[in-house]
Every structure is written in structure tokens, then in C-alpha cells.
């Protein structure tokens, strides 16, 4: 780790975590700490999942503007949720084994997202077209979602409602452990492949020339991205621009696209933004606004800037 | 040896390559010439497995290009494409270093560093080593890309119009380097050229393509003649011998 930016990021992230755990401690210490620890784990994991999935997605699609959520992958996931309720009813949905449901959803998401995005990559669409398609896909699934929401019983709808909006205050903690394992495994896999990802970033022809099995790598990366998106969406709900914000910010800080540096940097930035931001809102601003809204606003601005810059070059 | 047998390629109704058969033995510089749209780049893409074969077969040292693992092929053959757009933000040194990837899988050894240093020196890039690619001129970037292909240190090196964007000085330097790599390092070089006189000056063999077929094939002295060039390009080009080297002069009105 010869990058100074990386060291500063690591220290800042650590400071954020310490503040999150210790600020305003009151009452039964053991209880409060345990509660905070679980929430900390969830936030860190969501941050890492979003950050890493965005980095990999951008590398494999060869551009800086698209992220899994802009391509509508999490809209697809949320739609899958309500489809389940529609088909089996709210009671069955609520009583379904959470872990079993979680895995089922991941597998479903992987197949659907690959079926959707791989043909676009094969046809080598440009960014504009992919973006347009992503927006259309996102709108389609969101519309289908609201259609189903109108069709089902209001009580059933209440069951899925919590999963449909981003919420960093109320993280689904019962899946934290299993999601952690999944994220850690994905992270380990991506870390091992960091050099391969550098080559993938050169583009298809150069990568094949250097001995990458392009198709296999592309599919493997997309599957991984889907799994990570499912993890983060399950825990906090769909976030549109967070990934974009995290990656753009990290790239500015470490000034490289080499994955050996960018991956840890993005993970650290995500911890700073989520854990630090959450601490700030809870203790500094007295929960007067929500972190999700602010992040999405900032992320949206970054998205517009990137689009504007890209259109000029 | 590169062995191409009855290779055809179609995009929809358009026939790009029609039943092409060729063998390119080990060693030497082979120039591939022909008018635009003759299928030269497609042939290189097929040999270097960037495109999948539709009909026919291609083997390199008896390894079929379509079924041999990509990783293994990357140690046999390197390709420089015509439209090399590098997506990520890289320095010249990083890019050239990527040429070592098939050998080191990202774990750089001293031998790799030496090879990169040599390539930078050979291609006159030492002063540019720390510069980012997007800050380079077209010609400088082209040199960096050729240096990367060189670093891959493969027996076969395919280049698609490597002289693109290069000025007269660097065009000659690059051709001399290719000649040197072939002669001193025993590599096999196949390059698409548009200026037939570079082919005449630096190659051992010229293969001419037109409408997806090989129409002429031979050493420069036999091939660079007014008659053959008329067959390839469809107009009369005067050819003179200068110091025993045939020179085509398509510059008269």
C-alpha cells in the first residue's frame, strides 16, 4: 500500500467507526453496543457491496457512468419481491424462511439480470444506448411494481413496503450474518481477480489478446455484481446513485483505476460516507433529515456532472 | 507456422473472406496489403481469435486458435489492432507492463521489469514512461501499444496498420525495429500495411488481398510490379528500381 490517499482513507474510516460506536452512549452498555455493532456491520457490508459491485460493473461494461442500479438491477429485485407477494400472498411471504427466500431471490436476480445485460454487452452498445435501456428497464419494473402494488391486498402491500424504499436507519438485521458471509466471499474473489480486472478494463480486444477468457470473465463478473446488488438491496432497499458517488469520489482521491488500489479505496470511502454520515445525522443533526436522501441528492449531482463531462469529450 | 485452411467469413449477406488458405512459416516479416475492405483486418482478427471462426480452420504451431485456452494462446501470439482505444487511465509504463500479463498474471518480477525497461528504450518511450496515455499524441500512443505487444514476447506478432499516425521518422524506425525483432529475436511478424513501399523495403513476403481473396503472394521484387499492382488496386502505378528495391510511385496526376 504505497498510496498515501489509501492510508488517509483507512484512518478516516476507522475514526468514523469509532465515533459511530462511542458517541452518546447511554444506559445498558452491553445492550447498546451490541445493537450498534450489528448496525455497523450492516452498514459496512452494504457500503462494500455497493462500492465493489459498481467498480466491477463499470470495468466490465467499460464506462464510468453506468452502475448496476442505473441499469435497473435493483428495480428488478424490488419487483421480484412484490411478485412473490402477488403470487403467494403476504402471509406466505412473511412466513417464508428468510434465508431461503434470500437465496432464491439472488439466483432469480442473477439469471434475469444476465439475460437482460449480456445481450447488450454482446451487441457492444454504446453508453448512451445502454443508459437509455437501463432507464427504460428501470421504469418498466418500477411501473410493474406499482401495478402489482395496486392489485394486491393493502395488508400484503405493507409487508413489501419496507423493502421498497431506501432506509439506512432501519436495516434488516436478521440477514446480516448470511449477507456478511456472501459479501466477504465476493470481496475475496474480486480481490484475487484484481489483476485480471485491470486487463478487462483495457477493453475486449486487448483483454483477449492478453489471454482473458472474455465471455467467461464477463458472465462471472455480472453474476457477482448481481449477488452484491441483492445483498445491499435486501438490507437497505434500492439506492440509485450511491455507487456512482462512491467510485467517482475514490477515483479522485487515489487517482488511479488500478483495482489493487481502487477496490480498497472504494470500500473505505463507502464506510466513511455511510457510517460517518449516519453518525453525523444521528448525533450532529438530530435525525432532522435522512442520510439516504442526502446521498442520493449528492450522487445525482455527480451523475449529471459525469454525463455533462462525457458529452463534451 | 500459421496455417489457414479454407477460411470464410460472412456478415449477413456480405462475404468478407472467401475460402482463404495460406501458410505463414516461422520467422520473417510478412506484409499484408490490399484495398480498403479487402478483408485484411478480418483475417488478422480471426488468426488472433478476436473473432470466432465461421468456416475453415486456423492453427498456430498446430494449436487450433478457436479451442486452445486463451491464456495459452496469449503466450504464442500478440495482436495490435487498428482502433486501439484504451478505456482506463494508465501511464505508458503501466500499459507496456500489461504486455507481461500472460506470463506473470499480474505478479511483476524483476525479469518483467527488465523486459519493460528494454521495450521502453527500444521504442524510444523512456522519457514518456510516466505520462498518462490520454496526454500523448496519436503517434506516441501507437508506439506505446506496439511496445506493449512486443513485451508480450510471443513467437508471433500481428499488427494491423502499425504505421497509423506515425510520422516518417517513426514509421521507418518502427519498420526497422520489426525487421530487427524478426532477425535477431527470431519472431514471426505479420503486418497490414497501406504503403506498399514499406512492404517493399522491409518485408520478406507480401500477400495481397482483394474482395476477400488472396490475389497475389510473393517476395517484394516479384510482387511490386505495375501489372500486379493494377490487378490489386485497379489502376496503373509506375514502378522503378532504386538500389535494387522496387518503388511504386502512385503520385502522378
Amino acid at each position: 500500500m504505497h498510496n498515501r490517499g489509501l492510508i488517509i482513507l483507512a484512518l478516516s474510516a476507522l475514526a468514523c467507526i469509532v465515533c459511530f460506536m462511542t458517541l452518546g452512549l447511554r444506559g445498558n452498555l452491553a445492550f447498546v453496543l451490541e445493537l450498534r455493532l450489528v448496525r455497523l456491520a450492516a452498514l459496512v457490508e452494504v457500503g462494500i457491496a455497493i462500492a465493489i459491485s459498481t467498480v466491477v460493473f463499470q470495468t466490465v461494461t467499460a464506462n464510468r457512468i453506468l452502475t448496476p442500479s442505473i441499469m435497473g438491477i435493483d428495480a428488478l429485485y424490488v419487483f421480484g419481491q412484490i411478485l412473490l407477494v402477488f403470487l403467494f400472498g403476504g402471509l406466505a411471504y412473511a412466513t417464508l424462511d428468510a434465508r431461503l427466500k434470500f437465496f432464491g431471490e439472488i439466483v432469480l436476480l442473477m439469471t434475469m439480470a444476465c439475460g437482460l445485460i449480456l445481450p447488450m454487452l454482446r451487441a457492444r452498445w454504446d453508453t448512451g444506448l445502454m443508459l437509455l435501456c437501463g432507464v427504460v428497464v428501470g421504469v418498466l419494473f418500477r411501473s410493474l411494481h406499482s401495478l402489482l402494488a395496486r392489485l394486491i391486498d393493502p395488508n400484503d402491500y405493507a409487508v413489501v413496503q419496507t423493502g421498497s424504499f431506501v432506509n439506512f436507519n432501519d436495516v434488516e438485521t436478521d440477514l446480516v450474518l448470511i449477507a456478511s458471509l456472501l459479501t466477504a466471499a465476493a470481496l475475496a474473489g474480486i480481490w484475487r481477480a484484481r489483476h485480471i480486472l485491470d486487463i478487462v478494463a483495457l477493453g475486449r480486444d486487448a483483454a483477449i489478446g492478453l489471454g482473458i477468457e472474455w465471455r467467461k470473465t464477463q458472465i462471472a463478473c455480472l453474476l457477482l455484481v448481481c449477488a452484491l446488488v441483492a445483498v445491499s438491496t435486501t438490507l437497505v432497499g434500492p439506492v440509485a446513485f450511491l455507487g456512482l458517488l462512491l467510485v467517482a469520489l475514490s477515483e479522485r482521491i487515489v487517482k488511479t483505476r488500478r483495482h489493487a488500489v481502487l477496490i480498497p479505496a472504494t470500500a473505505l470511502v463507502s464506510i466513511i460516507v455511510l457510517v460517518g454520515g449516519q453518525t453525523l445525522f444521528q448525533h450532529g443533526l438530530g435525525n432532522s433529515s435522512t442520510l439516504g436522501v442526502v446521498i442520493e441528492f449528492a450522487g445525482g449531482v455527480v451523475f449529471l456532472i459525469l454525463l455533462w463531462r462525457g458529452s463534451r469529450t | 507456422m500459421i496455417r489457414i485452411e479454407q477460411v470464410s467469413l460472412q456478415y449477413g449477406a456480405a462475404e468478407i473472406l472467401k475460402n482463404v488458405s495460406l501458410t505463414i512459416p516461422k520467422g520473417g516479416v510478412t506484409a499484408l496489403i490490399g484495398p480498403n475492405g479487402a478483408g485484411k483486418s478480418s483475417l488478422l482478427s480471426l488468426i488472433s481469435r478476436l473473432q470466432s471462426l465461421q468456416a475453415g480452420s486456423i492453427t498456430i504451431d498446430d494449436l487450433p486458435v478457436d479451442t486452445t485456452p486463451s491464456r495459452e494462446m496469449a503466450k504464442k501470439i500478440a495482436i495490435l489492432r487498428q482502433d486501439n482505444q484504451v478505456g482506463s487511465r494508465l501511464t505508458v509504463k503501466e500499459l507496456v507492463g500489461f504486455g507481461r500479463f500472460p506470463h506473470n498474471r499480474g505478479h511483476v518480477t524483476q525479469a518483467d521489469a527488465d523486459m519493460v525497461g528494454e521495450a521502453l528504450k527500444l521504442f524510444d518511450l523512456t522519457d514518456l514512461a510516466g505520462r498518462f496515455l490520454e496526454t500523448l499524441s496519436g503517434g506516441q500512443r501507437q508506439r506505446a501499444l506496439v511496445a506493449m505487444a512486443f513485451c508480450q514476447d510471443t513467437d508471433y506478432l500481428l499488427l494491423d496498420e502499425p504505421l497509423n499516425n506515425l510520422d516518417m521518422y517513426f514509421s521507418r524506425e518502427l519498420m526497422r525495429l520489426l525487421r530487427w525483432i524478426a532477425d535477431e529475436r527470431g519472431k514471426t511478424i505479420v503486418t497490414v500495411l497501406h504503403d506498399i513501399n514499406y512492404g517493399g523495403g522491409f518485408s520478406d513476403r507480401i500477400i495481397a488481398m482483394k474482395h476477400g481473396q488472396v490475389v497475389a503472394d510473393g517476395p517484394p521484387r516479384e510482387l511490386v510490379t505495375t501489372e500486379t499492382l493494377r490487378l490489386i488496386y485497379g489502376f496503373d502505378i509506375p514502378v522503378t528500381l532504386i538500389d535494387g528495391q522496387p518503388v511504386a510511385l502512385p503520385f502522378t496526376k
Side-chain angles (χ1 to χ4, degrees):
Chain A
M1 308 279 159
H2 306 293
N3 201 308
R4 248 182 55 218
L6 216 51
I7 296 169
I8 296 172
L9 283 179
L11 292 176
S12 315
L14 202 65
C16 288
I17 289 175
V18 170
C19 287
F20 182 83
M21 289 300 289
T22 55
L23 273 186
L25 277 180
R26 267 194 316 261
N28 185 339
L29 266 189
F31 174 74
V32 177
L33 280 180
E34 193 194 328
L35 194 71
R36 286 194 181 186
L37 201 62
V38 174
R39 287 193 51 203
L40 176 73
L43 280 177
V44 167
E45 185 183 299
V46 166
I48 290 178
I50 292 174
I52 304 305
S53 64
T54 308
V55 170
V56 174
F57 191 77
Q58 289 188 346
T59 294
V60 84
T61 57
N63 75 73
R64 311 286 175 76
I65 295 171
L66 298 181
T67 67
S69 44
I70 292 174
M71 291 304 293
I73 294 183
D74 53 2
L76 187 62
Y77 179 82
V78 173
F79 169 67
Q81 302 266 334
I82 202 164
L83 191 66
L84 274 181
V85 176
F86 180 73
L87 292 177
F88 303 114
L91 190 64
Y93 178 86
T95 51
L96 213 60
D97 181 42
R99 269 159 289 175
L100 195 71
K101 182 163 73 73
F102 184 52
F103 274 114
E105 283 162 354
I106 288 181
V107 171
L108 198 69
L109 187 71
M110 282 175 168
T111 35
M112 285 177 79
C114 280
L116 209 65
I117 293 174
L118 273 181
M120 293 186 210
L121 291 178
R122 291 275 153 75
R124 303 206 208 169
W125 286 9
D126 61 12
T127 308
L129 202 55
M130 295 254 303
L131 193 61
L132 196 65
C133 190
V135 171
V136 171
V137 167
V139 169
L140 172 70
F141 287 114
R142 273 183 270 273
S143 308
L144 284 175
H145 176 93
S146 43
L147 173 72
L148 287 187
R150 284 182 179 82
L151 289 176
I152 59 179
D153 188 87
N155 290 325
D156 287 350
Y157 181 63
V159 176
V160 273
Q161 200 177 23
T162 47
S164 313
F165 302 99
V166 56
N167 192 345
F168 291 104
N169 286 317
D170 172 31
V171 179
E172 298 267 342
T173 43
D174 44 341
L175 285 170
V176 166
L177 181 68
I178 196 150
S180 299
L181 290 176
L182 206 69
T183 312
L187 192 59
I190 285 173
W191 181 249
R192 275 196 59 196
R194 64 194 184 280
H195 297 300
I196 294 177
L197 286 170
D198 284 339
I199 303 295
V200 169
L202 294 176
R204 176 183 178 274
D205 290 353
I208 294 178
L210 290 171
I212 301 288
E213 301 274 357
W214 184 254
R215 271 178 183 223
K216 270 189 218 160
T217 313
Q218 209 174 33
I219 293 173
C221 285
L222 273 185
L223 288 178
L224 220 129
V225 166
C226 289
L228 289 173
V229 169
V231 166
S232 77
T233 316
T234 311
L235 291 181
V236 295
V239 283
F241 295 117
L242 176 60
L244 189 84
L245 179 76
L246 295 175
V247 177
L249 222 81
S250 320
E251 240 191 300
R252 291 285 173 288
I253 295 170
V254 294
K255 296 192 178 63
T256 174
R257 190 80 198 174
R258 290 299 279 264
H259 289 80
V261 179
L262 189 64
I263 288 172
T266 326
L268 290 171
V269 168
S270 71
I271 292 173
I272 294 171
V273 169
L274 289 187
V275 178
Q278 190 64 26
T279 313
L280 188 70
F281 274 98
Q282 266 175 6
H283 303 289
L285 305 173
N287 270 333
S288 59
S289 178
T290 57
L291 180 62
V293 173
V294 176
I295 286 177
E296 293 299 69
F297 178 72
V301 172
V302 170
F303 176 67
L304 288 178
I305 292 173
L306 286 180
L307 263 188
W308 181 65
R309 277 218 196 133
S311 68
R312 291 198 315 164
T313 50
Chain B
M1 181 156 71
I2 301 176
R3 186 177 278 126
I4 300 162
E5 272 165 11
Q6 297 176 340
V7 166
S8 298
L9 181 71
Q10 289 185 331
Y11 290 138
E15 280 190 296
I16 310 296
L17 294 172
K18 296 171 201 161
N19 217 1
V20 174
S21 295
L22 266 178
T23 50
I24 299 169
K26 219 169 175 157
V29 177
T30 302
L32 208 54
I33 64 160
N36 298 129
K40 309 178 296 285
S41 297
S42 298
L43 189 61
L44 282 202
S45 296
L46 288 174
I47 298 174
S48 56
R49 79 206 178 287
L50 296 184
Q51 221 166 352
S52 27
L53 274 171
Q54 289 176 351
S57 74
I58 299 177
T59 59
I60 299 174
D61 289 347
D62 296 324
L63 296 171
V65 292
D66 45 348
T67 51
T68 311
S70 187
R71 199 170 152 177
E72 208 172 310
M73 286 309 290
K75 294 181 190 167
K76 272 259 164 255
I77 188 166
I79 169 104
L80 173 75
R81 289 261 295 172
Q82 214 179 108
D83 47 344
N84 263 295
Q85 290 248 332
V86 176
S88 47
R89 191 177 150 82
L90 294 170
T91 63
V92 171
K93 199 176 171 186
E94 282 178 308
L95 180 82
V96 175
F98 280 148
R100 299 302 300 158
F101 181 79
H103 305 276
N104 65 20
R105 305 298 287 176
H107 302 281
V108 181
T109 64
Q110 188 55 44
D112 295 322
D114 292 346
M115 180 98 196
V116 171
E118 189 200 356
L120 289 173
K121 206 178 283 170
L122 272 179
F123 288 86
D124 210 357
L125 290 164
T126 315
D127 295 340
L128 301 173
R131 289 264 296 273
F132 282 102
L133 287 178
E134 67 259 29
T135 67
L136 300 183
S137 75
Q140 291 169 328
R141 196 174 313 148
Q142 182 75 357
R143 267 153 56 209
L145 287 162
V146 182
M148 169 178 146
F150 170 76
C151 253
Q152 213 174 321
D153 196 23
T154 51
D155 291 341
Y156 297 88
L157 181 54
L158 307 186
L159 304 125
D160 198 348
E161 295 184 37
L163 303 184
N164 258 357
N165 291 319
L166 295 185
D167 64 24
M168 224 185 260
Y169 173 77
F170 279 116
S171 294
R172 174 168 173 272
E173 279 303 298
L174 180 58
M175 290 311 293
R176 281 173 44 155
L177 258 177
L178 292 180
R179 190 69 253 173
W180 178 83
I181 293 168
D183 293 341
E184 301 297 318
R185 296 287 170 93
K187 310 286 188 192
T188 310
I189 291 170
V190 181
T191 174
V192 172
L193 290 176
H194 272 305
D195 190 333
I196 190 158
N197 292 327
Y198 281 109
F202 292 97
S203 66
D204 306 304
R205 176 186 180 190
I206 297 181
I207 298 170
M209 293 184 67
K210 190 182 186 181
H211 300 321
Q213 285 169 318
V214 174
V215 290
D217 183 355
R221 291 198 61 164
E222 287 173 24
L223 198 125
V224 184
T225 60
T226 304
E227 296 77 59
T228 318
L229 293 184
R230 188 192 309 121
L231 177 74
I232 302 166
Y233 293 102
F235 69 107
D236 283 327
I237 303 171
V239 175
T240 3
L241 276 181
I242 298 177
D243 290 343
Q245 180 189 330
V247 177
L249 299 161
F251 307 114
T252 46
K253 284 183 199 164

